Amino acid sequence: MITRETIDKVFETARVEEVIGDFVQLKRSGSNYKGLSPFSDERSPSFMVSPVKQIWKDFSSGKGGSVVTFLMEHEHFTYPEAIRFLANKYNIEIEETEVSQEDKIEANEKESLYLVSEFAKTYFHETLLNTEEGKAIGLSYFKERGFTNETIAKFGLGYSPESWDAFTKEALTKGYQLEFLEKVGLTITKEDGKHFDRFKGRVMFPIQSLSGRNLGFGGRILTNDKKAAKYLNSPESDIYHKSKVLYGIFHAKQAIAKQNNCYLVEGYTDVIQLHQAGIENVVASSGTALTPDQIRLINRLTKNITVLFDGDAAGLRASVRGIDLILEEGMNVKVCTFPDGDDPDSFARKNSYEDLVHYLENNAKDFIQFKASLLMNEANNDPIKKAELIRDMVVSISKIPDRIKREIYIQETARIMDISEQVIRDTLAQIMQKDISEAGKKLKNSETSGQTAFEVVKNEPKVIQDKVDIIYDLERKIIEMLLLYGSHEADFDDFILKANEEGEMLEEKETNTFKVFQRIYLSLQEDEVELANPMFQGIYTDLINYYNQNEEFNVEHYLMQLSPEHSQMVTDILMSEERELLHNWETKHIYVKTKTQNVSQYVSETIISLREYLINKLILDLMNNFSKEEESDSGEIMATINDYNKLKVSLTNKIGRIRSTYI
């Protein structure tokens, strides 16, 4: 585990404008930078970077955060991967906490597997480009497929020599251990101790993780040897799990996120050819049937998948089963097929980028339309087969977790198949009841055997806001004041009642100096107010604790300790003023007044407004309950309402006095 000292040093050293500048073209805008959003297509810049606050905000997508958050969003790194990336960029030595000897051995072994795999990738690529055999066999094959030098380099394509142990010999000479060569499946050792290369005589397709680390390989044989498999993949290892990997995901991730769609194909060359043609948001399932883990990997980037099938109808029926898995993950699915005799690879070679985009956009069908047309051809007007077809389609609909989507597809299926919606609903109910019954049996069996089948986890309720939510706005303002001015000292005026010599109660102004966070905390404590929004309450508690432990507020340091959800909200609040810069008001001689001009007034008015709103709410609740109470209680309720109304008038007057003080 990376030490806290290393993480702190990374945050202190890394400059958000420098790191983001490597990925986004930024232009100076006052004290900030702005540029086009890397997360959406736009013509006017809505992406802001604040060097002073060391945060960024993309107003088009709503994303924002620290330099680490940017790498996690843009490069889809995990938190440790982002820290390591920045440490490497700024030449910071990574210190790790003490771990057990077993953990050390496991971590070292896993890192050794990555190093061996990376060495193999480099070896195969250089063999392709720099040896006579590699150029004559491997490079000529890739050139025949139409791949350019840039594409070959980008995907790290390579060639493994025909010799039995050329790669293994080279790896051992370079100091790599045979144990790790075997564990990643690059070398096979026989019983007699002799070893040979698994991929000998094959062109090589490196398979990379989402973050770009080399996990394994796919190798294609170029001879007509019927005993050898045409394609051969690396075996399962500690770093390579076929069912969790998608070929091309590293090169496709940004395009998938930006275009909010992922094209799913079958083969390596399909991915590469489409990518070279300009369709970069494309991945393949690495020689396996589509799995839930692979779908969830795409789900991190987009909710939309378009499956591209070959024109060969024979394989369609089997391939279409993967659609149900996609639906089960709550994703949206479209299907596009190519003309007979074409696959994505060949079709991309024949057509320009414009024609390719036009074809994909105009021929992608919703999964229900596709499945109906496919199965109708099989039914061939046979009533029994048509009934089976409808049931097949309803099974797919039953996989959809969203009820509204299910309802829409019920209506669409009824229209396409010319059958009543009620029949489809009845069939759907039967199928879902059967699934529930089977799940219940599994649960009962697991309980009998003493095993836990599953655990129900309650999701945190989401806060639903009205178009105008006064309490939400006021609570957000309180968080904003704590973030922007929490450690500032200011003079606050209080109006209190004091008796004069004659015993009359007169109002007197008293001025006290507080830090803003102290004033807010004391005011809310005095009124026993707890923020209604769970997220704001969580951030409020964090901020009060932070200010009690730190003299000054450091944005980077504070963001480090927040959850991604809280970090997103904090960034949004901190960058709200920068949003005004996008309009270039000053060039139009319009100057936006900043809140720093009267912090005391801003704080006092917000706190009093919140109290006033809560009192209004109490009065309204009492009025609503008034008619329900017995007559004997009505006098007491009316007295309470009158007291609240007096307090409300007092608060209104107080706001007026505060405003007049600062004019």
Side-chain angles (χ1 to χ4, degrees):
M1 185 182 290
I2 302 172
T3 63
R4 171 53 60 184
E5 290 74 20
T6 300
I7 294 172
D8 288 344
K9 194 170 182 181
V10 164
F11 271 92
E12 288 166 9
T13 309
R15 303 297 302 166
V16 68
E17 68 274 19
E18 292 174 355
V19 176
I20 294 179
D22 291 339
F23 301 94
V24 181
Q25 188 175 358
L26 298 173
K27 291 183 179 180
R28 175 70 74 172
S29 176
S31 61
N32 300 301
Y33 290 90
K34 66 180 178 181
L36 295 174
S37 167
F39 303 108
S40 60
D41 291 317
E42 62 179 16
R43 294 183 181 179
S44 299
S46 68
F47 185 85
M48 299 292 293
V49 177
S50 171
V52 176
K53 297 172 183 172
Q54 281 299 294
I55 56 175
W56 60 277
K57 178 68 183 177
D58 178 22
F59 292 103
S60 67
S61 66
K63 296 175 180 179
S66 66
V67 63
V68 170
T69 312
F70 177 81
L71 291 171
M72 291 172 73
E73 287 284 354
H74 193 266
E75 294 300 293
H76 303 284
F77 286 158
T78 61
Y79 186 85
E81 285 171 343
I83 295 294
R84 290 181 189 279
F85 175 90
L86 291 170
N88 182 60
K89 178 179 175 66
Y90 288 96
N91 298 314
I92 297 169
E93 185 179 348
I94 294 177
E95 295 177 4
E96 307 211 28
T97 54
E98 278 297 316
V99 291
S100 68
Q101 192 61 32
E102 292 81 4
D103 288 340
K104 276 185 181 178
I105 292 169
E106 186 180 338
N108 290 337
E109 182 173 304
K110 202 168 184 181
E111 192 58 36
S112 296
L113 298 182
Y114 280 121
L115 291 172
V116 165
S117 190
E118 193 61 41
F119 166 74
K121 178 187 172 187
T122 303
Y123 171 83
F124 295 138
H125 186 61
E126 290 180 352
T127 300
L128 177 82
L129 300 178
N130 302 323
T131 68
E132 291 303 317
E133 182 185 346
K135 287 188 278 189
I137 301 174
L139 191 58
S140 63
Y141 167 77
F142 288 132
K143 291 291 184 181
E144 284 171 14
R145 304 291 312 214
F147 298 157
T148 64
N149 291 334
E150 291 76 13
T151 297
I152 291 168
K154 186 170 191 175
F155 284 87
L157 304 180
Y159 176 74
S160 180
E162 183 64 36
S163 170
W164 281 100
D165 60 353
F167 164 74
T168 303
K169 272 185 181 177
E170 181 68 14
L172 293 173
T173 302
K174 296 290 185 185
Y176 293 96
Q177 295 179 33
L178 181 62
E179 174 194 358
F180 299 125
L181 294 171
E182 291 173 335
K183 283 187 173 179
V184 293
L186 289 161
T187 300
I188 298 173
T189 302
K190 293 184 176 180
E191 290 179 6
D192 59 6
K194 290 183 179 179
H195 41 254
F196 63 92
D197 299 342
R198 177 182 295 272
F199 294 105
K200 79 178 192 69
R202 292 175 182 267
V203 287
M204 303 297 290
F205 300 86
I207 300 169
Q208 294 171 283
S209 69
L210 191 69
S211 61
R213 301 203 81 172
N214 209 70
L215 307 174
F217 297 89
R220 187 193 193 283
I221 199 166
L222 301 180
T223 63
N224 293 321
D225 185 354
K226 293 182 180 178
K227 294 180 181 178
K230 184 178 178 182
Y231 277 97
L232 185 65
N233 271 41
S234 292
E236 294 282 308
S237 71
D238 285 346
I239 63 172
Y240 179 58
H241 304 282
K242 263 187 271 191
S243 64
K244 297 182 179 181
V245 178
L246 287 162
Y247 181 73
I249 190 71
F250 173 64
H251 296 296
K253 60 185 178 181
Q254 291 179 22
I256 292 170
K258 193 166 186 176
Q259 297 180 34
N260 197 24
N261 183 42
C262 177
Y263 289 113
L264 183 64
V265 296
E266 293 184 57
Y268 304 125
T269 57
D270 293 330
V271 170
I272 298 170
Q273 199 67 253
L274 283 169
H275 202 281
Q276 182 173 281
I279 308 295
E280 297 185 354
N281 52 326
V282 56
V283 297
S285 56
S286 285
T288 66
L290 192 62
T291 68
D293 282 324
Q294 290 172 332
I295 297 166
R296 282 192 281 271
L297 189 58
I298 297 172
N299 202 5
R300 289 171 60 182
L301 306 170
T302 181
K303 283 283 183 187
N304 305 303
I305 293 181
T306 303
V307 184
L308 305 184
F309 286 132
D310 298 353
D312 178 18
L316 283 178
R317 191 68 175 85
S319 301
V320 83
R321 294 191 193 105
I323 290 177
D324 287 355
L325 286 176
I326 299 171
L327 293 171
E328 212 161 348
E329 292 299 324
M331 299 183 72
N332 306 314
V333 193
K334 286 188 176 182
V335 181
C336 181
T337 58
F338 293 96
D340 285 344
D342 268 327
D343 57 22
D345 179 355
S346 62
F347 192 81
R349 271 187 280 169
K350 293 177 187 176
N351 292 275
S352 66
Y353 170 75
E354 290 75 18
D355 290 340
L356 190 54
V357 170
H358 183 267
Y359 184 87
L360 293 174
E361 287 179 352
N362 287 277
N363 289 274
K365 296 179 181 177
D366 187 85
F367 88 94
I368 280 290
Q369 295 173 326
F370 170 76
K371 202 165 187 178
S373 61
L374 174 68
L375 300 180
M376 279 294 278
N377 290 334
E378 292 183 8
N380 197 24
N381 297 323
D382 184 327
I384 295 175
K385 286 186 177 179
K386 185 177 178 182
E388 290 173 359
L389 153 64
I390 294 170
R391 187 170 185 83
D392 198 330
M393 293 171 70
V394 176
V395 166
S396 290
I397 295 172
S398 72
K399 305 293 182 187
I400 301 171
D402 186 273
R403 291 181 64 184
I404 295 174
K405 284 184 184 176
R406 281 207 307 267
E407 179 64 25
I408 290 168
Y409 283 123
I410 287 170
Q411 295 171 5
E412 185 67 9
T413 302
R415 184 187 65 78
I416 293 171
M417 305 309 298
D418 192 23
I419 191 171
S420 75
E421 290 180 19
Q422 191 56 49
V423 170
I424 295 176
R425 286 196 179 87
D426 291 344
T427 307
L428 181 63
Q430 289 172 6
I431 291 169
M432 296 183 78
Q433 185 58 48
K434 185 181 176 184
D435 290 343
I436 293 168
S437 178
E438 287 176 356
K441 286 178 184 176
K442 284 182 184 177
L443 177 61
K444 192 174 181 180
N445 292 337
S446 64
E447 286 173 346
T448 305
S449 61
Q451 296 175 343
T452 303
F454 56 83
E455 181 182 356
V456 178
V457 180
K458 245 185 169 182
N459 290 326
E460 287 292 321
K462 290 186 179 178
V463 179
I464 300 171
Q465 301 159 25
D466 295 328
K467 285 184 179 179
V468 179
D469 190 335
I470 296 172
I471 200 162
Y472 177 91
D473 290 341
L474 289 170
E475 290 182 354
R476 182 185 164 103
K477 278 186 181 181
I478 288 171
I479 300 300
E480 179 185 50
M481 290 184 297
L482 285 169
L483 288 167
L484 295 176
Y485 321 115
S487 58
H488 292 205
E489 282 194 347
D491 292 333
F492 291 89
D493 292 333
D494 288 311
F495 298 89
I496 56 176
L497 292 173
K498 283 189 177 181
N500 61 12
E501 293 178 359
E502 289 76 28
E504 292 179 304
M505 299 301 291
L506 299 174
E507 201 169 58
E508 193 173 297
K509 186 170 81 171
E510 188 176 276
T511 302
N512 296 294
T513 302
F514 292 99
K515 285 192 172 181
V516 168
F517 88 90
Q518 294 171 332
R519 177 67 176 196
I520 291 173
Y521 176 75
L522 291 171
S523 297
L524 295 185
Q525 281 287 98
E526 182 186 345
D527 296 327
E528 297 182 354
V529 173
E530 187 173 282
L531 304 188
N533 184 296
M535 185 184 293
F536 290 151
Q537 180 60 39
I539 295 171
Y540 170 79
T541 304
D542 286 340
L543 281 168
I544 297 299
N545 290 336
Y546 184 92
Y547 281 120
N548 280 322
Q549 296 170 27
N550 300 275
E551 283 294 317
E552 294 296 327
F553 182 68
N554 183 293
V555 176
E556 296 166 85
H557 186 259
Y558 177 66
L559 287 174
M560 283 166 54
Q561 65 192 37
L562 296 182
S563 68
E565 191 179 20
H566 284 185
S567 177
Q568 185 80 42
M569 176 60 76
V570 166
T571 306
D572 191 53
I573 293 170
L574 284 170
M575 295 293 279
S576 58
E577 289 186 337
E578 272 71 6
R579 186 193 298 268
E580 300 299 326
L581 296 175
L582 295 173
H583 300 292
N584 294 319
W585 293 124
E586 291 187 11
T587 62
K588 301 168 186 175
H589 305 291
I590 299 172
Y591 298 92
V592 181
K593 183 180 177 181
T594 63
K595 301 179 187 78
T596 53
Q597 290 168 339
N598 278 318
V599 173
S600 301
Q601 179 185 0
Y602 185 49
V603 171
S604 299
E605 281 188 14
T606 303
I607 296 292
I608 293 170
S609 296
L610 179 61
R611 289 179 66 193
E612 189 176 23
Y613 180 82
L614 292 174
I615 289 168
N616 273 333
K617 198 166 179 296
L618 285 169
I619 292 171
L620 188 63
D621 290 342
L622 285 168
M623 292 295 290
N624 287 336
N625 291 328
F626 182 77
S627 59
K628 300 174 186 176
E629 299 296 331
E630 294 182 12
E631 194 173 332
S632 58
D633 298 324
S634 61
E636 186 179 337
I637 292 172
M638 281 305 299
T640 305
I641 291 172
N642 287 333
D643 288 342
Y644 279 140
N645 276 322
K646 288 175 185 176
L647 181 57
K648 184 177 156 187
V649 170
S650 172
L651 290 172
T652 304
N653 293 335
K654 199 170 184 180
I655 288 178
R657 285 193 293 273
I658 289 169
R659 284 176 180 158
S660 65
T661 301
Y662 292 103
I663 292 174

